[in-house]
């Protein structure tokens, strides 16, 4: 096959050479042969030939290489053929020219650009203009910061001549010229960070004539059924978008000039869009979404580009003021663009997955882009944006009512669009005090849904779907009566023969309404609801499966008191869903959440365990016989059952699965199995505690098995991902088997160091640092013993393990996540500092980052000059980290980032006065951290942050009860008083913010 390709390529080369033969007959025969070959995959052969044989050293290169003379012949022929009248041949030649230019231009092909410019400047040869533009459009997308400046200078005047001469050049050529302008502006924007002055100067010099041309193009109304016109405008808007994103200061003054013509395009395109796409009465040219060069030219793509432009304007704090006076009109027209198109209605009626994907903003559509614009308007314009959206929705709803009265067949579309618009910003509306306290939004939604629920569900399925989801999103501001009515309607809908979109909307409503529904309201319908959801589950696929599972989870949680009765109904079908989707992490996660909700319901855990164990037990006991993913999934299921389970349940699971999980942990090479087995063992230890050692009959043997697993997971030769949860596992051993673990501390410390030094994942290193921090707590009150222990543990590349661990710890402390983890590590650092151990002063660690004064750091600069840090003694670094903890707590206080906050005032204190301020016994200045402020800090930090701590019973660890802010205040006060000279010395290398944080709490 390879030799056949080579023969074809050789024939192609011979034909290309023959076209330059002095003999007319030879040339004619060669040209005729090439023309005949154009009906075959000749373009493919030419592209393959260049890719394989043109440039030695490329990954795709295969010998033989094209000689210098042959290259010259081919380049010359290709340039002479760019004006071929056959569009496909012209495109193929352009591709070949661009491919060669990526290697040869400008050094080895200096006549390329002059030739292309010559073709562009000759309006008598339109084929040549077209060929040159195609070639340049391909070249412009692959330029670099060295070539684009020289190209822009000579090329832009030629392109401007084409764009500004509609009487000579057609819309296709003008759009192609604008696409080249867009590519060049995009590249200039990409390099503007490094070459700011140069690129800004270049853009400024070329901007004025193009702004005039852009306004001339946009000011005319958008015509119907003219994709070429849409393409021209779309390229203009793309150029403007790039200018706003990368050169906003240059275009700021011109934006007021541009917005008028743009508004004309935006408004006039709405009528075209409604007729073509929404109503479908005109040809929307969707089948021509791409032109012959692969460029998008559909009407929806054009509208999306307009939304992208508006997003760029609204998202820029300096430019958004340009549209503030027209905010209400902008929203009013935008809502109309959110109407469901005829094509969408057809597709979504038969494909539930497509409908759900759009509802989750997973599609590229006009509706999604318009909704994003509304969200950005609220974010940028605040109360004014919210008012504009609510009032525009009211106008559109009133208009839809008038259309309904006039017997319009599409009256519902605008109504659905208004609800969609309100729903897309529901979170902002519900946070707005005016909307909530005045009840405006709630009343508007209530009025609409109360009227529209009377319409036919089969006739207007999408309006019903939107009503359901809207009631769910706005349930907190809707009356109980309306909410309950829609809850009943949603339960009825999923069990009835209604269109799929209605069932989707009903599921969305139930997911939102059930958690807050009155128990007495739900219970009479709960069995029927689960029966209906079971039916939906058996029919679901892809995105709809996630949606149904989410609804099922809400139903289980809401009907927990009846769960014991319905557990036999629900659990089997949920387990079957899990088994058939065990390799899908998203579905598996959804299913396990439902099973966990059933487990936590009164009276359900024992029957659920009895149902799951006979299925999972054989899987984990014979892991080698299972299909991919089933063992890891089964371990995940076991871990869920074990977490926070009663001791008798843990013992039951232990009898069937414990030895199997140990075996998997010691033998499996599958990283998913290793991770899940590690978590499962951690759950066993957390649930069984000391009793787990007696269940196996030989406590010493059981303990040895647990240690063997730890040893394997800490083996430096094991890939990091396999050891990912070893920190969680060892923490449980330390917490619940402390006396047994104490005998192995030296070996454990040595293994932890080796694993840390070989770890490729920073999160793994952080989890191991947590273990060292917990060992500090275990050593209390003799923390010196911990330090002495690590001093005697070797560490490759470091003087000892203590030097290595403290170096890593102080680097990574700021990256440690989770309330419990931060408490353990922060307090452990304080204990280490309080020892004043002489070894601390001998260790220097990474201090502060040294700011670079060389401007923007590129990748190449970063390689040549990586980040540089100061070096500071370990005690000073520890104090700095404690101060950082105080600052982090401060930032979590509501309003803590206010410019007028107490701590901001303190930062203005003069540096020299700061140190003296530590020992002042007088009243604290107005900028002090008041007691109530510190209380707020404590509550902010100690609130539930949603981490996974409680899943592994760290709540049983006394450290978890520490109020970190109070602890730090108490520690720093006592430490500063114990040795003021030492404390004064430690403060000297801290930053202003760190010193201020400490001073604020020492007064």
């Amino acid at each position: 096959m390879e030799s056949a390709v080579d023969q074809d390529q050789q024939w192609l080369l011979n034909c290309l050479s023959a076209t330059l033969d002095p003999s007319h007959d030879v040339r004619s025969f060669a040209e005729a042969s090439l023309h005949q070959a154009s009906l075959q995959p000749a373009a493919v052969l030419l592209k393959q030939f260049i890719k394989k044989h043109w440039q030695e050293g490329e990954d795709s290169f295969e010998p033989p290489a094209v000689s210098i003379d042959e290259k010259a012949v081919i380049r010359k022929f290709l340039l002479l053929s760019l004006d071929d009248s056959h569009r496909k041949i012209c495109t193929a030649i352009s591709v070949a020219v661009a491919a060669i230019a990526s290697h040869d231009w400008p050094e080895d092909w200096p006549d390329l650009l002059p030739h292309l410019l010559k073709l562009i400047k000759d309006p008598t040869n339109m084929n040549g203009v077209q060929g040159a533009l195609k070639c340049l459009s391909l070249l412009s997308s692959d330029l670099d910061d060295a070539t684009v400046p020289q190209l822009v200078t000579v090329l832009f005047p030629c392109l401007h001549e084409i764009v500004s001469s509609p009487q000579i050049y057609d819309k296709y050529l003008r759009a192609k010229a604008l696409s080249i302008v867009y590519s060049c502006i995009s590249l200039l924007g990409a390099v503007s960070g490094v070459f700011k002055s140069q690129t800004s100067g270049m853009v400024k010099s070329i901007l004025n004539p193009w702004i005039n041309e852009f306004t001339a193009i946009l000011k005319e109304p958008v015509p119907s059924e003219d994709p070429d016109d849409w393409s021209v405008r779309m390229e203009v808007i793309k150029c403007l978008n790039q200018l706003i994103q990368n050169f906003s200061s240059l275009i700021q003054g011109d934006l007021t000039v541009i917005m008028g013509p743009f508004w004309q395009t935006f408004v006039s395109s709405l009528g075209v869009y409604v007729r073509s796409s929404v109503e479908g009465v005109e040809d929307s040219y969707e089948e021509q979404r791409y032109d012959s060069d692969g460029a998008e030219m559909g009407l929806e793509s054009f509208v999306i580009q307009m939304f992208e432009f508006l997003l760029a304007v609204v998202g820029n704090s300096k430019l958004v003021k340009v549209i503030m006076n027209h905010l209400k009109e902008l929203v009013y027209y935008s809502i109309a663009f959110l109407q469901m198109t005829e094509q969408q209605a057809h597709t979504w009626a038969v494909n539930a997955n497509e409908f759900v994907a759009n509802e989750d903003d997973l599609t590229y559509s006009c509706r999604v882009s318009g909704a994003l614009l509304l969200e950005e308007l609220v974010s940028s314009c605040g109360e004014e944006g919210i008012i504009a959206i609510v009032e525009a929705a009211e106008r559109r709803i009133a208009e839809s009512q008038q259309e309904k009265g006039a017997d319009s067949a599409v009256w519902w579309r605008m109504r659905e669009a208004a609800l969609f618009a309100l729903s897309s910003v529901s979170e902002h509306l519900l946070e707005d005090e005016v909307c909530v306290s005045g009840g405006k939004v709630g009343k508007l939604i209530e009025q609409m849904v109360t009227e529209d629920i009377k319409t036919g569900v089969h006739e207007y399925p999408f309006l019903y779907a939107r009503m359901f989801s809207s009631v769910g999103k706005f349930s907190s501001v809707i009356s109980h009566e309306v909410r309950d009515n829609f809850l009943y309607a949603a339960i009825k809908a999923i069990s009835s023969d209604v269109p799929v979109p209605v069932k989707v909307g009903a599921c969305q409503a139930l997911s939102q309404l059930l958690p807050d529904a009155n128990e007495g309201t739900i219970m009479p319908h709960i069995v029927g609801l689960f029966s209906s959801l079971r039916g939906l589950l058996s029919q679901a696929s892809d995105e709809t499966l996630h949606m149904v599972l989410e609804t099922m989870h809400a139903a289980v949680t809401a009907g927990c008191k009846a769960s014991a009765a319905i557990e036999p109904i629900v659990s089997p079908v949920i387990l079957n869903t899990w088994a058939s989707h065990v390799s899908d992490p998203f579905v598996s996660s959804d299913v396990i959440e439902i099973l966990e909700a059933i487990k936590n319901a009164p009276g359900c855990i024992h029957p659920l365990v009895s149902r799951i164990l006979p299925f999972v037990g054989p899987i984990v006991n014979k892991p080698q016989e299972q299909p991919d993913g089933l063992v890891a999934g089964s371990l995940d299921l076991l871990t869920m059952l074990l977490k926070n389970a009663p001791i008798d349940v843990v013992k039951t699971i232990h009898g069937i699965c414990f030895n199997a999980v140990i075996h998997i942990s010691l033998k499996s090479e599958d990283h998913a199995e290793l991770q899940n087995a590690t978590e499962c063992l951690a759950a066993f230890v957390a649930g069984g505690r000391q009793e787990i050692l007696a269940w196996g009959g030989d406590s010493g043997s059981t303990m040895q098995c647990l240690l063997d697993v730890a040893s394997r997971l800490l083996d430096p030769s094991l890939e990091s991902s396999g050891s990912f949860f070893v920190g969680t596992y060892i923490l449980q051993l330390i917490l619940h088997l402390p006396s047994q673990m104490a005998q192995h501390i030296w070996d454990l410390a040595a293994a932890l160091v080796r694993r840390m030094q070989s770890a490729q994942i920073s999160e793994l290193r952080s989890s191991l640092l947590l273990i060292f921090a917990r060992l500090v707590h275990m050593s209390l009150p003799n923390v010196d013993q911990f330090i002495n222990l690590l001093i005697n543990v070797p560490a490759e590349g470091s003087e000892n393990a203590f030097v290595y661990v403290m170096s890593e710890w102080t680097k990574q402390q700021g990256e440690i996540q989770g309330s419990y983890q931060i408490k353990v590590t922060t307090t452990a650092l304080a204990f280490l500092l309080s020892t004043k151990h002489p070894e601390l002063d001998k260790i220097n660690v990474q201090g502060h980052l040294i700011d670079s004064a060389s401007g923007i750091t590129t990748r190449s600069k970063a390689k040549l000059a990586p980040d540089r840090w100061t070096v500071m003694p370990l005690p000073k670094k520890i104090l700095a980290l404690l101060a950082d903890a105080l600052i982090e707590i401060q930032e979590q206080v509501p309003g803590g980032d206010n410019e007028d906050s107490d701590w901001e005032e303190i930062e203005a204190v003069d540096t020299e006065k700061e140190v003296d301020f530590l020992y002042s016994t007088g009243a604290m200045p107005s900028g002090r951290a008041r007691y109530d402020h510190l209380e707020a800090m404590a509550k902010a930090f100690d609130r539930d942050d949603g981490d996974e701590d409680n899943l592994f019973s760290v709540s049983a660890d006394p450290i978890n009860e520490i109020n970190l802010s109070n602890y730090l205040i108490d520690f720093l006060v006592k430490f500063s008083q114990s040795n003021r000279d030492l404390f004064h010395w430690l403060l000297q290398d801290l930053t202003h913010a760190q010193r201020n944080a400490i001073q604020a709490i020492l007064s």
Side-chain angles (χ1 to χ4, degrees):
M1 183 67 185
E2 185 63 32
S3 60
V5 174
D6 287 343
Q7 288 176 6
D8 288 338
Q9 292 171 343
Q10 188 59 50
W11 172 86
L12 180 60
L13 180 60
N14 292 338
C15 279
L16 291 171
S17 300
T19 58
L20 302 178
D21 195 281
S23 169
H24 178 269
D25 292 339
V26 174
R27 287 201 313 274
S28 298
F29 180 77
E31 290 167 358
S33 298
L34 283 173
H35 176 66
Q36 183 63 29
S38 69
L39 304 177
Q40 306 299 324
V44 175
L45 290 175
L46 180 59
K47 186 176 179 181
Q48 285 182 342
F49 176 77
I50 295 169
K51 182 179 180 181
K52 290 184 176 181
H53 303 293
W54 198 268
Q55 188 70 32
E56 291 187 71
E58 292 290 308
D59 292 340
S60 57
F61 176 77
E62 295 177 9
V66 184
S67 69
I68 294 176
D69 292 339
E70 288 173 327
K71 285 183 176 181
V73 170
I74 293 172
R75 288 194 298 254
K76 184 175 181 180
F77 168 78
L78 289 174
L79 288 182
L80 293 174
S81 304
L82 268 174
D83 61 351
D84 195 289
S85 59
H86 293 84
R87 180 169 285 191
K88 288 185 177 180
I89 294 179
C90 182
T91 299
I93 293 170
S94 299
V95 171
V97 170
I100 294 172
S102 66
H103 300 299
D104 295 4
W105 182 72
E107 290 83 2
D108 299 327
W109 204 356
D111 55 338
L112 171 61
L113 187 56
H115 186 87
L116 295 177
L117 292 174
K118 181 181 177 182
L119 286 175
I120 286 178
K121 291 178 180 178
D122 185 4
T124 63
N125 181 6
M126 284 298 174
N127 290 330
V129 174
Q130 177 175 291
L133 286 174
K134 280 189 175 183
C135 191
L136 283 165
S137 68
L138 293 169
L139 281 174
S140 62
S141 62
D142 196 31
L143 297 173
D144 56 29
D145 54 4
T147 53
V148 72
Q150 57 178 299
L151 184 63
V152 166
T153 305
V154 297
L155 181 60
F156 269 39
C158 302
L159 297 176
H160 186 268
E161 180 64 27
I162 293 172
V163 174
S164 61
S165 304
Q167 71 279 9
I168 301 175
Y169 301 96
D170 62 25
K171 292 173 183 174
Y172 169 79
L173 293 178
R174 294 169 69 216
K176 187 61 63 179
L178 284 164
S179 73
I180 300 169
V181 175
Y182 165 75
S183 294
C184 292
I185 292 175
S186 299
L187 183 59
L188 289 171
V191 301
S192 62
V194 181
F195 306 104
K196 186 172 184 179
S197 59
Q198 299 95 314
T199 53
S200 295
M202 181 175 295
V203 171
K204 189 174 183 179
S205 66
I206 62 173
L207 196 56
N208 283 342
W210 283 108
I211 293 296
N212 294 335
E213 199 55 46
F214 293 162
T215 55
I217 291 170
L218 295 177
K219 70 180 181 181
E220 298 299 327
V222 175
S224 298
E225 303 185 16
D226 191 352
D228 287 331
D229 180 86
W230 308 337
S231 294
V232 172
R233 293 173 192 258
M234 185 159 68
E235 294 299 336
V236 167
I237 293 167
K238 286 166 64 179
C239 290
L240 290 171
N241 203 349
Q242 280 298 312
L243 288 169
I244 286 174
Q245 290 183 33
N246 296 300
F247 304 101
S248 59
S249 59
L250 297 180
I251 200 174
Q252 186 173 356
D254 296 309
L255 193 59
T256 52
V257 176
I258 294 167
M259 286 309 295
F262 172 81
W263 186 251
Q264 178 67 18
T265 288
F266 184 69
V267 171
S268 62
S269 66
L270 175 58
V272 178
Y273 182 73
V274 169
R275 289 190 298 274
S276 297
S277 297
V278 177
E279 298 174 354
V281 297
E282 292 180 1
D283 191 344
S284 66
Y285 286 82
E286 285 303 311
E287 70 276 8
Q288 296 184 13
R289 190 176 179 89
Y290 300 92
D291 66 15
S292 61
D293 298 329
E296 290 186 87
M297 58 186 303
L299 180 57
E300 184 169 32
S301 298
F302 169 47
V303 175
I304 289 172
Q305 277 301 321
M306 289 194 290
F307 278 130
E308 291 292 324
F309 170 74
L310 288 166
L311 271 168
V313 173
V314 173
N316 188 303
S317 59
K318 295 181 179 178
L319 304 182
V320 66
K321 58 186 179 184
V322 176
I323 61 136
M324 290 301 291
N325 290 334
H326 307 282
L327 195 56
K328 293 182 180 180
E329 289 301 302
L330 173 59
V331 176
Y332 174 76
Y333 282 101
S334 295
I335 289 176
F337 278 113
L338 301 185
Q339 292 179 90
M340 193 178 296
T341 67
E342 187 67 23
Q343 181 64 41
Q344 287 169 336
H346 174 74
T347 301
W348 295 345
V350 297
N351 191 329
N353 287 333
E354 291 273 353
F355 181 62
V356 173
N358 186 272
E359 289 297 281
D360 291 337
D361 293 348
L362 301 178
T363 56
Y364 178 75
S365 69
C366 182
R367 278 165 70 93
V368 172
S369 295
L372 290 175
L373 175 62
L374 296 182
E375 289 183 50
E376 189 65 39
L377 281 169
V378 174
S379 298
S380 299
C381 306
E383 185 74 29
E384 291 181 72
I386 289 174
I387 292 171
I389 291 171
V390 173
E391 291 186 0
E394 287 177 323
R395 288 174 64 187
R396 288 301 187 184
I397 290 167
E399 290 171 3
S400 69
Q401 193 66 21
Q402 292 175 357
E403 290 182 15
K404 183 180 180 181
D407 294 328
S408 168
V410 294
W411 67 271
W412 63 271
R413 292 181 190 257
M414 190 67 80
R415 209 165 178 88
E416 190 273 343
L419 275 175
F420 178 71
L422 292 170
S423 297
S424 67
V425 292
S426 58
E427 291 184 9
H428 297 286
L429 292 176
L430 295 175
E431 290 172 359
D432 185 76
E433 293 183 7
V434 175
C435 289
V436 174
S437 61
K440 191 170 187 178
V441 173
K443 291 175 182 176
L444 179 62
I445 300 292
E446 276 191 26
Q447 180 185 349
M448 282 186 64
V449 298
T450 303
E451 291 175 1
D452 294 341
I453 198 69
K454 301 171 185 175
T455 59
V457 65
H458 292 274
E459 192 175 0
Y460 306 108
F462 294 107
L463 181 59
Y464 261 78
R466 182 63 53 209
M467 281 193 290
F468 276 131
S469 62
S470 299
V471 168
K473 288 193 173 185
F474 290 101
S475 60
S476 62
V477 292
I478 292 176
S479 69
H480 290 290
E481 182 182 358
V482 172
R483 208 161 57 218
D484 289 347
N485 287 341
F486 268 84
L487 181 64
Y488 295 141
I491 292 173
K492 183 180 178 181
I494 62 172
S495 63
S496 305
D497 181 20
V498 296
V500 171
V502 180
K503 290 182 183 287
V504 170
C507 283
Q508 292 171 333
L510 289 171
S511 296
Q512 306 247 2
L513 295 174
L514 283 171
D516 298 320
N518 183 277
E519 193 176 280
T521 304
I522 300 171
M523 286 307 159
H525 308 278
I526 197 71
V527 175
L529 174 59
F530 279 115
S531 178
S532 300
L533 288 172
R534 279 186 59 185
L536 284 183
L537 202 58
S538 64
Q539 306 166 22
S541 61
D542 300 338
E543 285 87 354
T544 56
L545 179 59
H546 170 76
M547 179 194 65
V548 176
L549 289 172
E550 191 176 52
T551 310
M552 184 77 82
H553 183 263
V556 170
T557 305
C560 64
K561 286 192 176 180
S563 294
I566 54 88
E567 186 275 331
I569 303 172
V570 177
S571 296
V573 70
I574 294 296
L575 282 170
N576 287 336
T577 303
W578 172 83
S580 58
H581 294 84
V582 69
S583 296
D584 186 326
F586 299 105
V587 176
S588 295
S589 176
D590 288 342
V591 169
I592 289 177
E593 282 187 6
I594 295 172
L595 292 173
E596 189 165 24
I598 295 173
K599 182 195 82 170
N600 294 334
C604 286
I605 186 167
H606 290 91
L608 184 65
V609 170
S610 299
R611 190 181 306 282
I612 292 176
L613 273 185
F615 176 70
V616 171
I619 294 173
V620 297
N621 277 281
K622 295 182 179 180
Q624 300 299 329
E625 301 176 11
Q626 310 306 325
D628 289 346
L630 189 56
V631 173
S634 298
L635 291 165
D636 211 11
L637 206 54
L638 284 176
T639 303
M640 178 275 294
L641 292 176
L642 288 165
K643 289 174 180 175
N644 301 317
I647 193 72
D648 64 312
V649 169
V650 178
K651 185 176 182 179
T652 300
I653 299 173
H654 175 279
I656 297 173
C657 301
F658 180 76
N659 289 335
V661 178
I662 289 285
H663 179 79
I664 293 169
S665 301
L666 293 173
K667 299 298 182 182
S668 178
E669 299 295 332
D670 183 286
H671 290 173
E673 290 179 7
L674 267 178
Q675 289 180 8
N676 290 4
T678 306
E679 283 199 293
C680 191
L681 284 178
F684 266 122
V685 176
R689 306 189 181 188
Q690 287 284 339
E691 294 182 43
I692 196 172
L693 298 179
W695 289 341
D698 184 346
S699 61
S701 175
T702 300
M703 189 66 210
Q704 189 57 53
C705 287
L706 294 172
L707 292 171
D708 288 344
V709 171
S711 179
R712 189 200 180 195
L713 295 173
L714 292 174
D715 186 340
S717 64
L718 184 66
E719 287 191 32
S720 295
S721 59
S723 301
F724 195 75
F725 292 111
V726 65
T728 299
Y729 173 59
I730 293 176
L731 179 62
Q732 298 309 309
L733 294 176
I734 291 173
L735 288 175
H736 302 298
L737 304 172
S739 59
Q740 290 83 358
M741 291 300 294
Q743 307 168 33
H744 307 281
I745 291 298
W746 194 96
D747 292 332
L748 176 62
L752 287 168
V753 168
R754 289 193 297 270
R755 177 72 276 192
M756 275 185 65
Q757 291 189 312
S758 64
Q760 302 297 314
I761 304 174
S762 62
E763 290 85 351
L764 174 56
R765 289 195 295 273
S766 294
S767 70
L768 299 181
L769 286 172
L770 176 67
I771 305 304
F772 281 112
R774 196 60 188 77
L775 292 177
V776 171
H777 286 270
M778 279 185 68
S779 67
L780 289 172
N782 302 311
V783 180
D784 283 3
Q785 291 182 2
F786 170 81
I787 298 174
N788 294 332
L789 169 69
L790 286 190
I791 291 172
N792 291 304
V793 172
E796 185 179 348
S798 295
E799 184 179 343
N800 54 56
F802 186 62
V803 174
Y804 169 73
V805 169
M806 297 314 300
S807 176
E808 289 297 312
W809 191 345
T810 52
K811 284 180 188 176
Q812 294 208 40
Q813 179 63 28
E815 306 301 319
I816 291 175
Q817 302 292 318
S819 173
Y820 171 78
Q821 289 83 345
I822 292 173
K823 287 179 180 180
V824 174
T825 52
T826 304
T827 52
L829 286 172
F831 284 131
L832 289 170
L833 182 61
S834 67
T835 64
K836 302 175 186 174
H837 194 291
E839 198 68 21
L840 298 178
D841 295 325
K842 299 178 183 178
I843 301 174
N844 289 318
V845 296
Q846 180 177 285
H848 308 299
L849 179 65
I850 300 174
D851 292 332
S852 172
S854 57
I856 294 172
T857 303
T858 61
R859 290 183 182 177
S860 57
K861 284 183 180 179
K863 290 179 181 178
L864 295 173
D867 288 341
R868 294 183 300 141
W869 299 78
T870 61
V871 175
M872 64 194 307
L874 177 58
K876 290 188 175 182
K877 180 66 175 181
I878 292 177
L879 186 61
L881 291 171
L882 299 181
D884 288 340
L886 282 174
I887 294 171
E888 184 179 355
I889 295 170
Q890 155 66 19
E891 289 173 349
Q892 295 186 48
V893 178
D897 57 352
N898 190 300
E899 291 181 0
D900 298 324
S901 69
D902 295 332
W903 286 31
E904 291 289 341
E905 293 177 25
I906 296 171
E907 291 188 13
V909 178
D910 182 77
T911 306
E912 291 300 319
K913 294 180 180 178
E914 290 170 357
V915 176
D916 296 336
F917 179 67
L918 281 171
Y919 312 114
S920 170
T921 58
M924 191 175 183
S926 60
R928 72 186 188 278
R930 302 177 307 277
Y931 175 79
D932 57 345
H933 187 69
L934 294 175
E935 281 294 295
M937 289 164 49
K939 290 177 182 177
F941 189 81
D942 286 316
R943 69 178 183 271
D944 180 17
D945 57 3
D947 60 29
E948 297 294 308
D949 291 345
N950 292 331
L951 297 182
F952 286 114
S953 300
V954 296
S955 56
D957 188 350
I959 300 174
N960 204 43
E961 301 302 315
I962 290 176
N963 182 308
L964 189 58
S965 59
N966 289 347
Y967 175 88
L968 288 173
I969 293 167
D970 185 58
F971 170 80
L972 289 169
V973 169
K974 291 178 180 177
F975 187 76
S976 65
Q977 293 172 351
S978 66
N979 190 327
R980 294 196 170 187
D981 290 338
L982 170 63
F983 199 68
H984 186 280
W985 175 75
L986 293 177
L987 282 174
Q988 287 178 358
D989 289 342
L990 270 58
T991 65
H992 285 284
Q994 290 167 344
R995 283 197 295 268
N996 291 338
I998 291 174
Q999 289 162 4
I1001 56 94
L1002 287 184
S1003 298

